[in-house]
Amino acid sequence: DLLGSLTYISATVLALGFAESLDVRRIILAAVVLAWAGRLGTFLFKRIVAAGKDSRFDDIKPYWYRFLMAWTLQGLWVFLTLSGVLICLLAKTSLAIGYLGVLGLLVWLAGFVIEVFADAQKQQFRKNPANRQQFIHSGLWAWSRHPNYFGEIVMWLGVALMALPVFAGWQYLGLVSPLFVYLVLTKISGIPMLEKSAESRWGDDPAYQAYVRDTP
């Protein structure tokens, strides 16, 4: 997680260095990526240090080829997620930020706030000894079973809206970014893994069954 965040930061800074000009759109796009990567990378790193390990990798670490696959896929994850930003930063076109750019920034800000608050609420919940072995269903978690992932998806949708006016021709492939984030979090490595783990822990608990039934 830490090196992934540093990759986002270094790739963004490098692309910004090669940009034709430093217009408002490019500066804002780079700033939101740096803010997101810096905040999330620091948060996840501190969490893993406190926990002592990352259990997601327990089954693959003993096998170097499986761990290498996870490491290599991180590069693909960064490239596809960041594709819209990289295309915009390196495009020849320079346009005023415009209404769509402002809308995208507001959408990104909403997603960022949701993710930050969701992470903070879950962190505080886990710090309370009374909540040991319990599932969180308060705050934003009463409205969504995975509000942090919802915020993440909303953020990259906002980024795509900010970059969209600059796209032309093949550059529209940059719109794969929010779609990729959505698919990864909802179908591959995010929600499916957490839902499976939660089901094994609380699947027989009527309160958890009601939470799953009533909460999107």
Side-chain angles (χ1 to χ4, degrees), residues 190-214:
I191 291 174
M193 294 175 63
L194 291 179
E195 291 283 293
K196 183 178 179 180
S197 175
E199 179 65 25
S200 67
R201 298 176 67 182
W202 304 298
D204 296 330
D205 185 343
Y208 179 74
Q209 293 172 0
Y211 176 66
V212 171
R213 183 180 64 249
D214 300 334

PDB file of all heavy atoms in Angstrom, residues 190-214:
ATOM      1  N   GLY A 190     -11.883  -6.047  -3.547  1.00  0.00           N
ATOM      2  CA  GLY A 190     -12.370  -5.212  -2.467  1.00  0.00           C
ATOM      3  C   GLY A 190     -13.530  -5.840  -1.718  1.00  0.00           C
ATOM      4  O   GLY A 190     -13.370  -6.616  -0.767  1.00  0.00           O
ATOM      5  N   ILE A 191     -14.721  -5.494  -2.150  1.00  0.00           N
ATOM      6  CA  ILE A 191     -15.937  -5.923  -1.462  1.00  0.00           C
ATOM      7  C   ILE A 191     -16.101  -7.440  -1.396  1.00  0.00           C
ATOM      8  O   ILE A 191     -16.470  -7.964  -0.332  1.00  0.00           O
ATOM      9  CB  ILE A 191     -17.167  -5.256  -2.111  1.00  0.00           C
ATOM     10  CG1 ILE A 191     -17.145  -3.749  -1.803  1.00  0.00           C
ATOM     11  CG2 ILE A 191     -18.468  -5.889  -1.639  1.00  0.00           C
ATOM     12  CD1 ILE A 191     -18.221  -2.957  -2.509  1.00  0.00           C
ATOM     13  N   PRO A 192     -15.876  -8.198  -2.487  1.00  0.00           N
ATOM     14  CA  PRO A 192     -16.069  -9.652  -2.388  1.00  0.00           C
ATOM     15  C   PRO A 192     -15.253 -10.293  -1.266  1.00  0.00           C
ATOM     16  O   PRO A 192     -15.769 -11.159  -0.546  1.00  0.00           O
ATOM     17  CB  PRO A 192     -15.612 -10.155  -3.769  1.00  0.00           C
ATOM     18  CG  PRO A 192     -15.863  -9.013  -4.685  1.00  0.00           C
ATOM     19  CD  PRO A 192     -15.536  -7.790  -3.873  1.00  0.00           C
ATOM     20  N   MET A 193     -13.987  -9.877  -1.098  1.00  0.00           N
ATOM     21  CA  MET A 193     -13.154 -10.461  -0.036  1.00  0.00           C
ATOM     22  C   MET A 193     -13.674 -10.101   1.349  1.00  0.00           C
ATOM     23  O   MET A 193     -13.736 -10.949   2.246  1.00  0.00           O
ATOM     24  CB  MET A 193     -11.713  -9.970  -0.205  1.00  0.00           C
ATOM     25  CG  MET A 193     -11.024 -10.467  -1.462  1.00  0.00           C
ATOM     26  SD  MET A 193      -9.374  -9.744  -1.683  1.00  0.00           S
ATOM     27  CE  MET A 193      -8.527 -10.364  -0.240  1.00  0.00           C
ATOM     28  N   LEU A 194     -14.080  -8.833   1.512  1.00  0.00           N
ATOM     29  CA  LEU A 194     -14.573  -8.395   2.822  1.00  0.00           C
ATOM     30  C   LEU A 194     -15.923  -9.030   3.151  1.00  0.00           C
ATOM     31  O   LEU A 194     -16.183  -9.398   4.303  1.00  0.00           O
ATOM     32  CB  LEU A 194     -14.687  -6.873   2.846  1.00  0.00           C
ATOM     33  CG  LEU A 194     -13.359  -6.103   2.814  1.00  0.00           C
ATOM     34  CD1 LEU A 194     -13.614  -4.605   2.810  1.00  0.00           C
ATOM     35  CD2 LEU A 194     -12.495  -6.489   4.014  1.00  0.00           C
ATOM     36  N   GLU A 195     -16.790  -9.144   2.155  1.00  0.00           N
ATOM     37  CA  GLU A 195     -18.098  -9.755   2.386  1.00  0.00           C
ATOM     38  C   GLU A 195     -17.949 -11.228   2.764  1.00  0.00           C
ATOM     39  O   GLU A 195     -18.656 -11.728   3.642  1.00  0.00           O
ATOM     40  CB  GLU A 195     -18.960  -9.620   1.134  1.00  0.00           C
ATOM     41  CG  GLU A 195     -19.396  -8.198   0.817  1.00  0.00           C
ATOM     42  CD  GLU A 195     -20.531  -7.726   1.712  1.00  0.00           C
ATOM     43  OE1 GLU A 195     -21.644  -8.279   1.605  1.00  0.00           O
ATOM     44  OE2 GLU A 195     -20.303  -6.805   2.519  1.00  0.00           O
ATOM     45  N   LYS A 196     -17.017 -11.911   2.105  1.00  0.00           N
ATOM     46  CA  LYS A 196     -16.776 -13.324   2.420  1.00  0.00           C
ATOM     47  C   LYS A 196     -16.257 -13.480   3.843  1.00  0.00           C
ATOM     48  O   LYS A 196     -16.704 -14.367   4.592  1.00  0.00           O
ATOM     49  CB  LYS A 196     -15.771 -13.904   1.425  1.00  0.00           C
ATOM     50  CG  LYS A 196     -15.502 -15.386   1.629  1.00  0.00           C
ATOM     51  CD  LYS A 196     -14.524 -15.910   0.571  1.00  0.00           C
ATOM     52  CE  LYS A 196     -14.238 -17.392   0.805  1.00  0.00           C
ATOM     53  NZ  LYS A 196     -13.281 -17.921  -0.221  1.00  0.00           N
ATOM     54  N   SER A 197     -15.328 -12.609   4.223  1.00  0.00           N
ATOM     55  CA  SER A 197     -14.778 -12.655   5.580  1.00  0.00           C
ATOM     56  C   SER A 197     -15.847 -12.339   6.616  1.00  0.00           C
ATOM     57  O   SER A 197     -15.945 -13.009   7.656  1.00  0.00           O
ATOM     58  CB  SER A 197     -13.619 -11.660   5.694  1.00  0.00           C
ATOM     59  OG  SER A 197     -13.138 -11.594   7.019  1.00  0.00           O
ATOM     60  N   ALA A 198     -16.664 -11.315   6.344  1.00  0.00           N
ATOM     61  CA  ALA A 198     -17.717 -10.933   7.287  1.00  0.00           C
ATOM     62  C   ALA A 198     -18.759 -12.043   7.424  1.00  0.00           C
ATOM     63  O   ALA A 198     -19.255 -12.310   8.531  1.00  0.00           O
ATOM     64  CB  ALA A 198     -18.386  -9.643   6.825  1.00  0.00           C
ATOM     65  N   GLU A 199     -19.074 -12.692   6.312  1.00  0.00           N
ATOM     66  CA  GLU A 199     -20.059 -13.778   6.346  1.00  0.00           C
ATOM     67  C   GLU A 199     -19.563 -14.931   7.210  1.00  0.00           C
ATOM     68  O   GLU A 199     -20.349 -15.549   7.945  1.00  0.00           O
ATOM     69  CB  GLU A 199     -20.337 -14.263   4.924  1.00  0.00           C
ATOM     70  CG  GLU A 199     -21.322 -15.404   4.813  1.00  0.00           C
ATOM     71  CD  GLU A 199     -22.726 -15.030   5.254  1.00  0.00           C
ATOM     72  OE1 GLU A 199     -23.083 -13.831   5.197  1.00  0.00           O
ATOM     73  OE2 GLU A 199     -23.480 -15.941   5.667  1.00  0.00           O
ATOM     74  N   SER A 200     -18.269 -15.217   7.134  1.00  0.00           N
ATOM     75  CA  SER A 200     -17.724 -16.317   7.935  1.00  0.00           C
ATOM     76  C   SER A 200     -17.709 -15.982   9.421  1.00  0.00           C
ATOM     77  O   SER A 200     -17.768 -16.874  10.268  1.00  0.00           O
ATOM     78  CB  SER A 200     -16.304 -16.651   7.466  1.00  0.00           C
ATOM     79  OG  SER A 200     -15.406 -15.580   7.742  1.00  0.00           O
ATOM     80  N   ARG A 201     -17.631 -14.693   9.757  1.00  0.00           N
ATOM     81  CA  ARG A 201     -17.559 -14.281  11.161  1.00  0.00           C
ATOM     82  C   ARG A 201     -18.931 -14.041  11.775  1.00  0.00           C
ATOM     83  O   ARG A 201     -19.176 -14.393  12.929  1.00  0.00           O
ATOM     84  CB  ARG A 201     -16.712 -13.021  11.289  1.00  0.00           C
ATOM     85  CG  ARG A 201     -15.277 -13.182  10.848  1.00  0.00           C
ATOM     86  CD  ARG A 201     -14.508 -11.875  10.906  1.00  0.00           C
ATOM     87  NE  ARG A 201     -14.332 -11.390  12.268  1.00  0.00           N
ATOM     88  CZ  ARG A 201     -13.720 -10.249  12.584  1.00  0.00           C
ATOM     89  NH1 ARG A 201     -13.247  -9.471  11.613  1.00  0.00           N
ATOM     90  NH2 ARG A 201     -13.607  -9.887  13.845  1.00  0.00           N
ATOM     91  N   TRP A 202     -19.817 -13.409  11.031  1.00  0.00           N
ATOM     92  CA  TRP A 202     -21.098 -12.990  11.607  1.00  0.00           C
ATOM     93  C   TRP A 202     -22.313 -13.513  10.842  1.00  0.00           C
ATOM     94  O   TRP A 202     -23.426 -13.047  11.065  1.00  0.00           O
ATOM     95  CB  TRP A 202     -21.171 -11.456  11.651  1.00  0.00           C
ATOM     96  CG  TRP A 202     -20.034 -10.823  12.385  1.00  0.00           C
ATOM     97  CD1 TRP A 202     -19.710 -10.980  13.703  1.00  0.00           C
ATOM     98  CD2 TRP A 202     -19.053  -9.921  11.847  1.00  0.00           C
ATOM     99  NE1 TRP A 202     -18.606 -10.242  14.025  1.00  0.00           N
ATOM    100  CE2 TRP A 202     -18.178  -9.569  12.907  1.00  0.00           C
ATOM    101  CE3 TRP A 202     -18.842  -9.355  10.579  1.00  0.00           C
ATOM    102  CZ2 TRP A 202     -17.098  -8.711  12.730  1.00  0.00           C
ATOM    103  CZ3 TRP A 202     -17.770  -8.500  10.411  1.00  0.00           C
ATOM    104  CH2 TRP A 202     -16.904  -8.188  11.462  1.00  0.00           C
ATOM    105  N   GLY A 203     -22.081 -14.433   9.926  1.00  0.00           N
ATOM    106  CA  GLY A 203     -23.175 -14.909   9.071  1.00  0.00           C
ATOM    107  C   GLY A 203     -24.363 -15.471   9.823  1.00  0.00           C
ATOM    108  O   GLY A 203     -25.498 -15.422   9.327  1.00  0.00           O
ATOM    109  N   ASP A 204     -24.120 -16.006  11.018  1.00  0.00           N
ATOM    110  CA  ASP A 204     -25.211 -16.592  11.816  1.00  0.00           C
ATOM    111  C   ASP A 204     -25.837 -15.588  12.779  1.00  0.00           C
ATOM    112  O   ASP A 204     -26.778 -15.930  13.502  1.00  0.00           O
ATOM    113  CB  ASP A 204     -24.687 -17.793  12.621  1.00  0.00           C
ATOM    114  CG  ASP A 204     -24.219 -18.923  11.714  1.00  0.00           C
ATOM    115  OD1 ASP A 204     -24.778 -19.057  10.609  1.00  0.00           O
ATOM    116  OD2 ASP A 204     -23.284 -19.656  12.110  1.00  0.00           O
ATOM    117  N   ASP A 205     -25.329 -14.382  12.798  1.00  0.00           N
ATOM    118  CA  ASP A 205     -25.833 -13.346  13.707  1.00  0.00           C
ATOM    119  C   ASP A 205     -27.043 -12.661  13.063  1.00  0.00           C
ATOM    120  O   ASP A 205     -26.931 -12.057  12.000  1.00  0.00           O
ATOM    121  CB  ASP A 205     -24.722 -12.325  13.951  1.00  0.00           C
ATOM    122  CG  ASP A 205     -25.116 -11.268  14.977  1.00  0.00           C
ATOM    123  OD1 ASP A 205     -26.323 -11.131  15.265  1.00  0.00           O
ATOM    124  OD2 ASP A 205     -24.224 -10.567  15.466  1.00  0.00           O
ATOM    125  N   PRO A 206     -28.223 -12.739  13.688  1.00  0.00           N
ATOM    126  CA  PRO A 206     -29.419 -12.101  13.119  1.00  0.00           C
ATOM    127  C   PRO A 206     -29.236 -10.610  12.885  1.00  0.00           C
ATOM    128  O   PRO A 206     -29.777 -10.055  11.913  1.00  0.00           O
ATOM    129  CB  PRO A 206     -30.490 -12.372  14.175  1.00  0.00           C
ATOM    130  CG  PRO A 206     -30.031 -13.601  14.880  1.00  0.00           C
ATOM    131  CD  PRO A 206     -28.531 -13.488  14.916  1.00  0.00           C
ATOM    132  N   ALA A 207     -28.487  -9.938  13.756  1.00  0.00           N
ATOM    133  CA  ALA A 207     -28.254  -8.499  13.595  1.00  0.00           C
ATOM    134  C   ALA A 207     -27.453  -8.219  12.322  1.00  0.00           C
ATOM    135  O   ALA A 207     -27.739  -7.263  11.596  1.00  0.00           O
ATOM    136  CB  ALA A 207     -27.518  -7.948  14.814  1.00  0.00           C
ATOM    137  N   TYR A 208     -26.465  -9.077  12.048  1.00  0.00           N
ATOM    138  CA  TYR A 208     -25.674  -8.898  10.829  1.00  0.00           C
ATOM    139  C   TYR A 208     -26.510  -9.229   9.597  1.00  0.00           C
ATOM    140  O   TYR A 208     -26.422  -8.548   8.571  1.00  0.00           O
ATOM    141  CB  TYR A 208     -24.424  -9.787  10.863  1.00  0.00           C
ATOM    142  CG  TYR A 208     -23.593  -9.657   9.610  1.00  0.00           C
ATOM    143  CD1 TYR A 208     -22.825  -8.523   9.373  1.00  0.00           C
ATOM    144  CD2 TYR A 208     -23.601 -10.664   8.641  1.00  0.00           C
ATOM    145  CE1 TYR A 208     -22.082  -8.388   8.216  1.00  0.00           C
ATOM    146  CE2 TYR A 208     -22.859 -10.537   7.479  1.00  0.00           C
ATOM    147  CZ  TYR A 208     -22.099  -9.391   7.275  1.00  0.00           C
ATOM    148  OH  TYR A 208     -21.372  -9.257   6.110  1.00  0.00           O
ATOM    149  N   GLN A 209     -27.328 -10.253   9.697  1.00  0.00           N
ATOM    150  CA  GLN A 209     -28.206 -10.612   8.583  1.00  0.00           C
ATOM    151  C   GLN A 209     -29.142  -9.449   8.238  1.00  0.00           C
ATOM    152  O   GLN A 209     -29.370  -9.154   7.056  1.00  0.00           O
ATOM    153  CB  GLN A 209     -29.006 -11.871   8.930  1.00  0.00           C
ATOM    154  CG  GLN A 209     -28.152 -13.119   9.067  1.00  0.00           C
ATOM    155  CD  GLN A 209     -28.943 -14.312   9.596  1.00  0.00           C
ATOM    156  OE1 GLN A 209     -30.144 -14.209   9.874  1.00  0.00           O
ATOM    157  NE2 GLN A 209     -28.276 -15.446   9.730  1.00  0.00           N
ATOM    158  N   ALA A 210     -29.671  -8.797   9.281  1.00  0.00           N
ATOM    159  CA  ALA A 210     -30.551  -7.649   9.058  1.00  0.00           C
ATOM    160  C   ALA A 210     -29.772  -6.486   8.445  1.00  0.00           C
ATOM    161  O   ALA A 210     -30.279  -5.766   7.576  1.00  0.00           O
ATOM    162  CB  ALA A 210     -31.185  -7.218  10.381  1.00  0.00           C
ATOM    163  N   TYR A 211     -28.541  -6.293   8.904  1.00  0.00           N
ATOM    164  CA  TYR A 211     -27.692  -5.216   8.366  1.00  0.00           C
ATOM    165  C   TYR A 211     -27.425  -5.415   6.884  1.00  0.00           C
ATOM    166  O   TYR A 211     -27.529  -4.484   6.094  1.00  0.00           O
ATOM    167  CB  TYR A 211     -26.374  -5.193   9.156  1.00  0.00           C
ATOM    168  CG  TYR A 211     -25.364  -4.185   8.649  1.00  0.00           C
ATOM    169  CD1 TYR A 211     -25.610  -2.819   8.736  1.00  0.00           C
ATOM    170  CD2 TYR A 211     -24.155  -4.603   8.097  1.00  0.00           C
ATOM    171  CE1 TYR A 211     -24.678  -1.887   8.277  1.00  0.00           C
ATOM    172  CE2 TYR A 211     -23.218  -3.678   7.647  1.00  0.00           C
ATOM    173  CZ  TYR A 211     -23.488  -2.329   7.733  1.00  0.00           C
ATOM    174  OH  TYR A 211     -22.570  -1.414   7.268  1.00  0.00           O
ATOM    175  N   VAL A 212     -27.088  -6.637   6.506  1.00  0.00           N
ATOM    176  CA  VAL A 212     -26.830  -6.955   5.097  1.00  0.00           C
ATOM    177  C   VAL A 212     -28.103  -6.775   4.259  1.00  0.00           C
ATOM    178  O   VAL A 212     -28.057  -6.242   3.156  1.00  0.00           O
ATOM    179  CB  VAL A 212     -26.301  -8.376   4.958  1.00  0.00           C
ATOM    180  CG1 VAL A 212     -26.231  -8.791   3.491  1.00  0.00           C
ATOM    181  CG2 VAL A 212     -24.906  -8.498   5.611  1.00  0.00           C
ATOM    182  N   ARG A 213     -29.208  -7.174   4.829  1.00  0.00           N
ATOM    183  CA  ARG A 213     -30.487  -7.106   4.110  1.00  0.00           C
ATOM    184  C   ARG A 213     -30.926  -5.649   3.884  1.00  0.00           C
ATOM    185  O   ARG A 213     -31.441  -5.302   2.816  1.00  0.00           O
ATOM    186  CB  ARG A 213     -31.551  -7.858   4.886  1.00  0.00           C
ATOM    187  CG  ARG A 213     -32.912  -7.905   4.170  1.00  0.00           C
ATOM    188  CD  ARG A 213     -33.933  -8.665   4.977  1.00  0.00           C
ATOM    189  NE  ARG A 213     -34.227  -8.009   6.258  1.00  0.00           N
ATOM    190  CZ  ARG A 213     -33.889  -8.500   7.442  1.00  0.00           C
ATOM    191  NH1 ARG A 213     -33.233  -9.663   7.532  1.00  0.00           N
ATOM    192  NH2 ARG A 213     -34.194  -7.855   8.564  1.00  0.00           N
ATOM    193  N   ASP A 214     -30.691  -4.806   4.861  1.00  0.00           N
ATOM    194  CA  ASP A 214     -31.237  -3.440   4.814  1.00  0.00           C
ATOM    195  C   ASP A 214     -30.231  -2.380   4.365  1.00  0.00           C
ATOM    196  O   ASP A 214     -30.635  -1.236   4.124  1.00  0.00           O
ATOM    197  CB  ASP A 214     -31.753  -3.048   6.207  1.00  0.00           C
ATOM    198  CG  ASP A 214     -32.852  -3.996   6.693  1.00  0.00           C
ATOM    199  OD1 ASP A 214     -33.526  -4.577   5.823  1.00  0.00           O
ATOM    200  OD2 ASP A 214     -33.017  -4.124   7.915  1.00  0.00           O
TER     201      ASP A 214
END
